[in-house]
């Protein structure tokens, strides 16, 4: 590496370590800082060679390990380093954000699975084996929060009692959705920072109001019911059907939310109010289910092109 490239890589490695340490030791603010942890590594993957980016991620992970221990180093490596370098590499190879995000989600998912394996090997505890009573207690706290906000928690509590019995079975679907969210947030924050500092550019994410999923998603939804039925309430097929239905339902919800976002944008509603509307819909089960149905309808009819163009 040229001296200039070596200095830049060293600074990026140091910055990624500092951001990770700050995200762990600064209360509340650390949650925001954690969104910026992959950014130096994305820049490294975007500007350095593949070998140099991998070496930089390894050095950063070793530094974190020396400072906070093996588990901290593993968390940094599998949660930030691999994803950051991969997003930078995919941005060099692919020209569209959808392609970069697709492969980024796969990398994020694989990294989280490896992290779970490392945690299980080191501690003997399987993070996927969640205790239903603990889940019920945590979700009960959420119900109390909603009640404090003035929302009726009676129906929500009934749903919590039901979901607490099966939520631990949905961990694979939750892991997939967490990987997707992690990847999208890392990409969006990295794109914003890169644009500001002029150290490269990531292809823009398509406007949320234009998001559409393929019609084959509906057949996956039907397949989830078939797997659940064949599973008879237990076994591998039942788990596949249950998790597939959760993931597909979330995608339907996103498409319905995209339709809502598009409609509000055409009416000139400010972005802040559109975000508030989406959050409100998430908190109200009836409206959430309505958006799922709207997403299914839009999948087949393309409401935005049919009625609002």
């Amino acid at each position: 590496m040229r001296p200039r490239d070596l200095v830049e890589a060293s600074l990026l490695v140091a910055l990624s370590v500092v951001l990770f340490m700050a995200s762990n030791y600064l209360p509340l603010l650390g949650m925001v800082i954690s969104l910026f942890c992959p950014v130096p590594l994305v820049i490294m993957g975007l500007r350095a060679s593949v070998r140099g980016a991998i070496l930089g991620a390894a050095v950063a992970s070793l530094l974190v390990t020396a400072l906070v221990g093996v588990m901290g180093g593993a968390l940094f490596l599998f949660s930030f380093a691999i994803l950051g370098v991969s997003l930078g590499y995919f941005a060099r190879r692919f020209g569209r954000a959808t392609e970069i995000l697709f492969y980024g989600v796969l990398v994020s998912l694989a990294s989280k699975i490896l992290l779970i394996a490392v945690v299980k090997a080191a501690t003997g505890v399987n993070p996927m084996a969640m205790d239903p009573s603990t889940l019920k207690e945590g979700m009960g706290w959420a119900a109390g929060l909603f009640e404090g906000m003035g929302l009726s928690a009676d129906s929500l509590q009934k749903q919590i009692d039901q979901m607490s019995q099966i939520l631990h079975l949905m961990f694979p679907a939750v892991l997939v959705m967490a990987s997707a969210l992690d990847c999208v947030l890392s990409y969006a924050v990295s794109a914003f920072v890169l644009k500001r500092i002029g150290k490269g550019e990531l292809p823009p994410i398509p406007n949320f109001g234009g998001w559409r999923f393929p019609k084959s998603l509906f057949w996956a939804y039907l397949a989830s019911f078939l797997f659940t039925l064949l599973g008879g309430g237990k076994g591998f097929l039942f788990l596949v059907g249950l998790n597939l239905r959760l993931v597909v339902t979330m995608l339907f919800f996103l498409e319905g939310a995209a339709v809502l976002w598009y409609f509000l944008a055409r009416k000139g509603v400010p972005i802040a109010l559109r975000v508030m509307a989406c959050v409100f819909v998430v908190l109200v089960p009836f409206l959430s289910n309505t958006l799922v149905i709207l997403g299914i309808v839009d999948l087949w009819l393309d409401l935005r092109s049919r009625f609002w163009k």
Side-chain angles (χ1 to χ4, degrees):
M1 298 178 66
R2 295 178 302 175
R4 181 179 177 180
D5 295 336
L6 184 60
V7 171
E8 182 181 83
S10 300
L11 290 175
L12 290 173
V13 166
L15 181 58
S16 65
V17 173
V18 170
L19 288 173
F20 178 77
M21 299 299 292
S23 68
N24 279 271
Y25 291 106
L26 294 179
L28 298 180
L29 185 60
M31 297 179 62
V32 178
I33 296 176
S34 65
L35 297 175
F36 293 87
C37 288
V39 175
L41 298 166
V42 172
I43 298 174
M44 188 180 300
L46 190 63
R47 293 170 60 86
S49 64
V50 176
R51 181 182 298 177
I54 294 174
L55 179 60
V59 171
S61 301
L62 289 175
L63 288 174
V64 172
T65 301
L67 292 171
V68 296
V70 176
M71 293 307 299
L75 180 63
F76 175 82
L77 175 64
F78 294 113
S79 297
F80 300 107
I82 294 177
L83 177 60
V85 170
S86 298
L87 286 177
Y89 169 73
F90 293 143
R92 291 166 53 186
R93 184 169 181 181
F94 304 108
R96 294 190 301 172
T98 50
E99 292 178 302
I100 300 169
L101 289 173
F102 173 75
Y103 291 107
V105 170
L106 295 181
V107 169
S108 180
L109 179 60
S111 298
K112 286 176 173 53
I113 293 174
L114 288 173
L115 179 60
I116 290 172
V118 169
V119 171
K120 184 178 180 181
T123 65
V125 177
N126 183 5
M128 296 184 66
M130 294 185 290
D131 185 4
S133 61
T134 303
L135 288 172
K136 186 175 180 180
E137 181 181 350
M139 295 177 71
W141 175 84
L145 178 63
F146 291 146
E147 189 173 12
M149 294 169 58
L151 300 174
S152 175
D154 293 338
S155 60
L156 182 62
Q157 186 62 52
K158 293 179 181 178
Q159 294 180 15
I160 287 174
D161 292 337
Q162 296 174 355
M163 289 190 63
S164 62
Q165 302 301 319
I166 62 172
L167 190 58
H168 64 289
L169 302 176
M170 300 180 181
F171 189 82
V174 173
L175 192 62
V176 171
M177 290 187 289
S179 300
L181 180 62
D182 187 25
C183 180
V184 171
L185 287 177
S186 297
Y187 187 91
V189 173
S190 298
F192 174 78
V193 173
L194 283 169
K195 186 176 181 180
R196 290 290 181 180
I197 66 176
K199 288 293 185 180
E201 187 175 353
L202 296 178
I205 299 176
N207 186 282
F208 181 57
W211 285 21
R212 292 195 74 243
F213 297 104
K215 293 181 180 179
S216 56
L217 196 64
F218 183 76
W219 305 118
Y221 189 61
L222 294 182
S224 70
F225 284 98
L226 178 61
F227 289 145
T228 304
L229 181 64
L230 294 176
K234 58 182 179 179
F236 178 74
L237 285 179
F238 174 76
L239 288 176
V240 170
L242 188 66
N243 286 277
L244 180 60
R245 189 189 314 169
L246 181 60
V247 171
V248 174
T249 300
M250 179 56 65
L251 294 177
F252 285 151
F253 174 83
L254 286 176
E255 180 144 349
V259 173
L260 174 63
W261 186 276
Y262 180 86
F263 173 76
L264 294 176
R266 283 186 61 86
K267 293 297 182 181
V269 178
I271 293 180
L273 293 180
R274 280 180 258 165
V275 172
M276 292 175 61
C278 291
V279 171
F280 179 75
V281 166
V282 171
L283 296 177
V284 181
F286 172 75
L287 295 179
S288 299
N289 293 331
T290 301
L291 275 195
V292 171
I293 296 173
L294 180 63
I296 296 175
V297 173
D298 184 69
L299 197 71
W300 291 99
L301 299 181
D302 191 6
L303 300 174
R304 286 160 283 186
S305 297
R306 188 179 296 267
F307 298 108
W308 293 322
K309 281 192 175 181

